[in-house]
Short mmCIF file of all heavy atoms in Angstrom, two decimals:
data_model
loop_
_atom_site.label_atom_id
_atom_site.label_comp_id
_atom_site.label_asym_id
_atom_site.label_seq_id
_atom_site.Cartn_x
_atom_site.Cartn_y
_atom_site.Cartn_z
N TYR B 230 22.23 23.38 4.66
CA TYR B 230 21.03 23.14 3.87
C TYR B 230 21.17 21.79 3.16
O TYR B 230 22.19 21.11 3.27
CB TYR B 230 20.79 24.26 2.84
CG TYR B 230 21.98 24.60 1.97
CD1 TYR B 230 22.24 23.91 0.80
CD2 TYR B 230 22.85 25.62 2.34
CE1 TYR B 230 23.34 24.22 0.00
CE2 TYR B 230 23.94 25.95 1.58
CZ TYR B 230 24.18 25.26 0.41
OH TYR B 230 25.27 25.57 -0.38
N TYR B 231 20.09 21.40 2.50
CA TYR B 231 20.05 20.12 1.78
C TYR B 231 19.63 20.38 0.34
O TYR B 231 18.86 21.29 0.06
CB TYR B 231 19.05 19.15 2.42
CG TYR B 231 19.39 18.74 3.84
CD1 TYR B 231 19.15 19.58 4.92
CD2 TYR B 231 19.96 17.49 4.10
CE1 TYR B 231 19.46 19.21 6.20
CE2 TYR B 231 20.26 17.11 5.39
CZ TYR B 231 20.02 17.96 6.44
OH TYR B 231 20.34 17.60 7.71
N LEU B 232 20.12 19.56 -0.54
CA LEU B 232 19.78 19.65 -1.95
C LEU B 232 19.29 18.28 -2.44
O LEU B 232 19.80 17.24 -1.98
CB LEU B 232 20.99 20.08 -2.78
CG LEU B 232 21.49 21.50 -2.48
CD1 LEU B 232 22.90 21.68 -2.99
CD2 LEU B 232 20.57 22.54 -3.08
N PHE B 233 18.35 18.30 -3.32
CA PHE B 233 17.73 17.07 -3.81
C PHE B 233 17.50 17.15 -5.33
O PHE B 233 17.30 18.24 -5.90
CB PHE B 233 16.36 16.84 -3.15
CG PHE B 233 16.39 16.79 -1.65
CD1 PHE B 233 16.37 17.97 -0.91
CD2 PHE B 233 16.41 15.61 -0.97
CE1 PHE B 233 16.39 17.95 0.49
CE2 PHE B 233 16.43 15.58 0.43
CZ PHE B 233 16.41 16.75 1.14
N TRP B 234 17.50 16.01 -5.95
CA TRP B 234 16.97 15.85 -7.30
C TRP B 234 15.81 14.85 -7.24
O TRP B 234 15.96 13.75 -6.70
CB TRP B 234 18.04 15.32 -8.26
CG TRP B 234 18.97 16.37 -8.78
CD1 TRP B 234 20.20 16.67 -8.32
CD2 TRP B 234 18.72 17.25 -9.88
NE1 TRP B 234 20.74 17.71 -9.03
CE2 TRP B 234 19.86 18.05 -10.03
CE3 TRP B 234 17.66 17.42 -10.76
CZ2 TRP B 234 19.97 19.05 -11.02
CZ3 TRP B 234 17.78 18.39 -11.75
CH2 TRP B 234 18.92 19.20 -11.85
N TYR B 235 14.68 15.30 -7.79
CA TYR B 235 13.50 14.44 -7.92
C TYR B 235 13.22 14.18 -9.38
O TYR B 235 13.43 15.03 -10.23
CB TYR B 235 12.27 15.08 -7.27
CG TYR B 235 12.16 14.94 -5.77
CD1 TYR B 235 12.81 15.86 -4.94
CD2 TYR B 235 11.44 13.93 -5.19
CE1 TYR B 235 12.73 15.75 -3.56
CE2 TYR B 235 11.34 13.79 -3.82
CZ TYR B 235 11.98 14.72 -3.01
OH TYR B 235 11.90 14.60 -1.63
N LYS B 236 12.72 12.99 -9.65
CA LYS B 236 12.34 12.59 -10.99
C LYS B 236 10.84 12.46 -11.06
O LYS B 236 10.21 11.91 -10.13
CB LYS B 236 13.00 11.24 -11.30
CG LYS B 236 12.51 10.51 -12.52
CD LYS B 236 13.18 9.14 -12.61
CE LYS B 236 12.69 8.34 -13.77
NZ LYS B 236 13.32 6.98 -13.83
N GLN B 237 10.23 12.95 -12.14
CA GLN B 237 8.79 12.80 -12.34
C GLN B 237 8.57 12.16 -13.72
O GLN B 237 8.56 12.86 -14.74
CB GLN B 237 8.09 14.15 -12.24
CG GLN B 237 6.56 14.02 -12.30
CD GLN B 237 5.87 15.35 -12.19
OE1 GLN B 237 6.25 16.32 -12.83
NE2 GLN B 237 4.82 15.41 -11.39
N PRO B 238 8.37 10.86 -13.76
CA PRO B 238 8.08 10.21 -15.03
C PRO B 238 6.66 10.51 -15.47
O PRO B 238 5.92 11.20 -14.77
CB PRO B 238 8.26 8.72 -14.68
CG PRO B 238 8.02 8.64 -13.22
CD PRO B 238 8.45 9.95 -12.62
N PRO B 239 6.26 10.04 -16.64
CA PRO B 239 4.88 10.29 -17.12
C PRO B 239 3.80 9.85 -16.15
O PRO B 239 2.70 10.36 -16.22
CB PRO B 239 4.83 9.49 -18.43
CG PRO B 239 6.26 9.50 -18.91
CD PRO B 239 7.09 9.37 -17.66
N SER B 240 4.08 8.95 -15.29
CA SER B 240 3.10 8.55 -14.26
C SER B 240 2.81 9.68 -13.27
O SER B 240 1.86 9.58 -12.50
CB SER B 240 3.61 7.34 -13.47
OG SER B 240 4.76 7.70 -12.71
N ARG B 241 3.62 10.74 -13.32
CA ARG B 241 3.57 11.98 -12.52
C ARG B 241 3.96 11.77 -11.05
O ARG B 241 3.96 12.74 -10.28
CB ARG B 241 2.22 12.70 -12.64
CG ARG B 241 1.05 12.09 -11.86
CD ARG B 241 -0.27 12.70 -12.28
NE ARG B 241 -1.35 12.33 -11.36
CZ ARG B 241 -2.63 12.42 -11.70
NH1 ARG B 241 -3.00 12.86 -12.89
NH2 ARG B 241 -3.58 12.06 -10.83
N GLN B 242 4.32 10.60 -10.64
CA GLN B 242 4.81 10.38 -9.29
C GLN B 242 6.15 11.07 -9.08
O GLN B 242 7.02 11.00 -9.95
CB GLN B 242 4.96 8.86 -9.01
CG GLN B 242 5.49 8.54 -7.63
CD GLN B 242 4.44 8.80 -6.54
OE1 GLN B 242 3.30 8.38 -6.65
NE2 GLN B 242 4.87 9.47 -5.49
N MET B 243 6.35 11.73 -7.98
CA MET B 243 7.61 12.37 -7.65
C MET B 243 8.50 11.37 -6.93
O MET B 243 8.15 10.87 -5.86
CB MET B 243 7.39 13.60 -6.76
CG MET B 243 6.63 14.72 -7.45
SD MET B 243 7.66 15.59 -8.63
CE MET B 243 8.72 16.52 -7.56
N ILE B 244 9.66 11.10 -7.50
CA ILE B 244 10.55 10.05 -6.98
C ILE B 244 11.90 10.67 -6.64
O ILE B 244 12.52 11.35 -7.49
CB ILE B 244 10.75 8.94 -8.04
CG1 ILE B 244 9.40 8.35 -8.43
CG2 ILE B 244 11.69 7.87 -7.52
CD1 ILE B 244 9.46 7.50 -9.69
N LEU B 245 12.37 10.47 -5.43
CA LEU B 245 13.69 10.99 -5.04
C LEU B 245 14.77 10.23 -5.79
O LEU B 245 14.81 9.02 -5.80
CB LEU B 245 13.88 10.85 -3.53
CG LEU B 245 15.24 11.31 -3.03
CD1 LEU B 245 15.36 12.83 -3.16
CD2 LEU B 245 15.41 10.90 -1.57
N VAL B 246 15.68 11.00 -6.41
CA VAL B 246 16.77 10.40 -7.13
C VAL B 246 18.04 10.39 -6.28
O VAL B 246 18.72 9.36 -6.16
CB VAL B 246 17.06 11.16 -8.46
CG1 VAL B 246 18.32 10.62 -9.15
CG2 VAL B 246 15.85 11.09 -9.35
N ILE B 247 18.36 11.56 -5.68
CA ILE B 247 19.60 11.68 -4.97
C ILE B 247 19.53 12.90 -4.07
O ILE B 247 18.74 13.81 -4.35
CB ILE B 247 20.79 11.78 -5.94
CG1 ILE B 247 22.13 11.44 -5.28
CG2 ILE B 247 20.80 13.11 -6.65
CD1 ILE B 247 23.22 11.20 -6.28
N ARG B 248 20.28 12.90 -2.98
CA ARG B 248 20.28 14.02 -2.04
C ARG B 248 21.72 14.33 -1.62
O ARG B 248 22.62 13.48 -1.64
CB ARG B 248 19.42 13.68 -0.83
CG ARG B 248 19.87 12.41 -0.16
CD ARG B 248 18.89 11.97 0.91
NE ARG B 248 19.08 10.54 1.20
CZ ARG B 248 18.11 9.65 1.24
NH1 ARG B 248 16.85 10.04 1.06
NH2 ARG B 248 18.35 8.40 1.48
N GLN B 249 21.90 15.56 -1.16
CA GLN B 249 23.23 16.01 -0.76
C GLN B 249 23.09 16.95 0.43
O GLN B 249 22.30 17.89 0.38
CB GLN B 249 23.90 16.78 -1.92
CG GLN B 249 25.22 17.42 -1.61
CD GLN B 249 26.39 16.44 -1.69
OE1 GLN B 249 26.46 15.61 -2.61
NE2 GLN B 249 27.34 16.54 -0.78
N GLU B 250 23.84 16.68 1.48
CA GLU B 250 23.91 17.62 2.61
C GLU B 250 25.01 18.62 2.34
O GLU B 250 26.12 18.22 1.96
CB GLU B 250 24.19 16.85 3.90
CG GLU B 250 23.08 15.91 4.33
CD GLU B 250 23.24 14.51 3.82
OE1 GLU B 250 23.87 14.31 2.75
OE2 GLU B 250 22.74 13.58 4.48
#
Side-chain angles (χ1 to χ4, degrees):
Chain B
Y230 51 87
Y231 296 78
L232 295 163
F233 303 83
W234 279 97
Y235 279 85
K236 168 185 177 181
Q237 186 181 44
S240 67
R241 77 191 191 199
Q242 179 71 49
M243 294 286 287
I244 302 166
L245 178 67
V246 175
I247 199 166
R248 55 188 160 229
Q249 175 83 42
E250 294 93 332

